[in-house]
Amino acid sequence: MGNDRLFGYRKNKETGNLEVIEDEKNVILKIYHLFLNKDYSLTKIVKYLNSLDIKTSMNNKFSVTTLKRMIINPKYKGYYCSRKSEVIDYISKKIVYYEEKDWIMYKDYIKVPPIVSEEVWNLANDKIKRIENKKYTKCDSRYSALIYCKNDGCLFYRRKVNNRYIWYCSNYLNNGCSACKNVSIYENELDEIINYVSKVDSVKNILNNLFKILPQQML
């Protein structure tokens, strides 16, 4: 059932099942209500929770990443879920995050009592996907769908920060720095690298063709 740090639940030490924490349950219901019925953005909900000094299960302030993980967590609709990630190197503590299609997931209201209905959870997750599709597909850069993370193979996405375009691993954007510590790439720096490589390659082609047509005694 995972660790005992999921907001809204505590683990029963005897049965191993999750039990709902009522105060935290009310916070979760509020989050889904604000997101779906009041059309609050994730950022606005985070500001609201932090203004009330509501802490996460780790006693930290809420962040957009933390909030999104909560909304998309199937346990809140009463589903057992595992194999979302795996430590593949216990020395370096490198973690592989699996795609949703590879998760082990099924409904189990006894082990995981639901906090929100399946309908509400699905509506919230559909909205999350629409937001991300809108955010990531409207990109006319020549690098779109061409940059992949060497750590986890995930696609890079572009964000605009202070009037500069920066590319980030999508695993980092979705799951935070604990999921991927790959560096970000400034698009203008990437342009400079690509332009330099293109020039060097052109020079090589010219030299190669020159060597082919020059008389042997001139070489």
Side-chain angles (χ1 to χ4, degrees), residues 165-177:
Y165 286 112
I166 306 176
W167 290 81
Y168 299 93
C169 174
S170 56
N171 190 20
Y172 167 81
L173 289 174
N174 292 331
N175 301 304
C177 60

Side-chain angles (χ1 to χ4, degrees), residues 97 136 147 202:
Y97 288 83
Y136 296 143
I147 308 174
S202 297

Side-chain angles (χ1 to χ4, degrees), residues 65-104:
T65 299
T66 303
L67 185 63
K68 182 190 167 187
R69 285 180 181 172
M70 289 177 61
I71 292 176
I72 67 175
N73 194 325
K75 287 181 179 176
Y76 289 121
K77 65 173 179 176
Y79 275 59
Y80 171 86
C81 185
S82 67
R83 203 176 180 271
K84 296 171 71 175
S85 63
E86 180 183 2
V87 179
I88 61 172
D89 189 331
Y90 285 91
I91 297 177
S92 65
K93 297 182 180 179
K94 185 176 182 179
I95 301 175
V96 170
Y97 288 83
Y98 295 107
E99 296 182 9
E100 186 174 347
K101 63 181 179 64
D102 297 320
W103 296 355
I104 299 174

Side-chain angles (χ1 to χ4, degrees), residues 35-82:
F35 189 58
L36 288 175
N37 301 325
K38 297 297 183 180
D39 202 28
Y40 273 38
S41 66
L42 297 182
T43 301
K44 191 172 182 180
I45 297 174
V46 166
K47 289 180 179 178
Y48 169 78
L49 295 173
N50 290 336
S51 70
L52 298 177
D53 200 31
I54 297 174
K55 296 291 196 298
T56 68
S57 56
M58 300 291 290
N59 200 34
N60 297 320
K61 287 186 176 183
F62 274 85
S63 67
V64 170
T65 299
T66 303
L67 185 63
K68 182 190 167 187
R69 285 180 181 172
M70 289 177 61
I71 292 176
I72 67 175
N73 194 325
K75 287 181 179 176
Y76 289 121
K77 65 173 179 176
Y79 275 59
Y80 171 86
C81 185
S82 67

Side-chain angles (χ1 to χ4, degrees), residues 8-56:
Y9 293 102
R10 67 170 64 90
K11 186 188 292 186
N12 186 304
K13 295 181 179 179
E14 294 182 0
T15 66
N17 298 338
L18 298 183
E19 297 175 344
V20 175
I21 301 173
E22 288 300 320
D23 290 345
E24 295 182 359
K25 170 186 174 180
N26 293 332
V27 174
I28 293 168
L29 291 173
K30 185 72 173 180
I31 288 171
Y32 279 90
H33 172 70
L34 293 174
F35 189 58
L36 288 175
N37 301 325
K38 297 297 183 180
D39 202 28
Y40 273 38
S41 66
L42 297 182
T43 301
K44 191 172 182 180
I45 297 174
V46 166
K47 289 180 179 178
Y48 169 78
L49 295 173
N50 290 336
S51 70
L52 298 177
D53 200 31
I54 297 174
K55 296 291 196 298
T56 68

Side-chain angles (χ1 to χ4, degrees), residues 147 149 151 156-159 161 164-170 172-173 180-190 193:
I147 308 174
C149 179
N151 291 338
F156 266 57
Y157 290 132
R158 186 171 71 162
R159 290 286 185 83
V161 181
R164 296 184 69 183
Y165 286 112
I166 306 176
W167 290 81
Y168 299 93
C169 174
S170 56
Y172 167 81
L173 289 174
C180 180
K181 300 185 184 298
N182 210 338
V183 295
S184 56
I185 304 173
Y186 283 92
E187 187 165 304
N188 66 312
E189 294 177 351
L190 188 56
I193 294 171

